[in-house]
Amino acid sequence: PHGGAAIELRSAGSPIWLTCSERWDVDWREMFGGLARLAGVHHICVRPHAVDLTVEAIAAAAGLSDPSSFTPYERDVDIYVHPQRAVQLAEQALRQVTGPPPPCLDHHPDT
């Protein structure tokens, strides 16, 4: 809904070059962030499994340490979100919805 919040979860095997900043309303150049922006919805992308990993470790796990050996990543995978992290994300989403409107609302003349 207009003024809602979307939480995007990325898998461990997703390519590191797919932007997933773990910040609200900044990944608008990616598919779901862009759609959220157009719809007037706050958006965050998180890789919940990667809290303690470095960029290098994520790249190695995704097979990106050698670009010549890149293989497509599996999009249909299970993602584990620690319950405490899920609560944090839900609380952040509620604050986003009750706070200022998303940036795209400046572009909607009918609001």
Side-chain angles (χ1 to χ4, degrees):
H2 193 76
I7 300 171
E8 177 183 357
L9 303 174
R10 287 266 172 92
S11 69
S14 65
I16 196 66
W17 44 262
L18 288 175
T19 305
C20 188
S21 68
E22 300 208 14
R23 295 181 303 163
W24 286 95
D25 301 326
V26 297
D27 294 329
W28 58 270
R29 289 188 172 101
E30 292 300 321
M31 180 171 47
F32 296 111
L35 290 172
R37 185 177 180 129
L38 288 173
V41 174
H42 291 284
H43 167 268
I44 189 170
C45 176
V46 295
R47 287 186 170 105
H49 60 280
V51 174
D52 296 325
L53 295 178
T54 63
V55 170
E56 293 79 13
I58 296 169
L64 297 176
S65 50
D66 179 7
S68 65
S69 66
F70 176 74
T71 56
Y73 68 101
E74 181 63 48
R75 294 175 182 259
D76 188 17
V77 297
D78 294 333
I79 297 175
Y80 173 79
V81 182
H82 190 279
Q84 189 174 26
R85 180 67 171 133
V87 169
Q88 288 174 340
L89 288 168
E91 288 173 345
Q92 289 176 11
L94 289 171
R95 283 194 298 275
Q96 290 294 320
V97 171
T98 58
C104 69
L105 294 182
D106 293 340
H107 306 290
H108 291 279
D110 58 339
T111 59

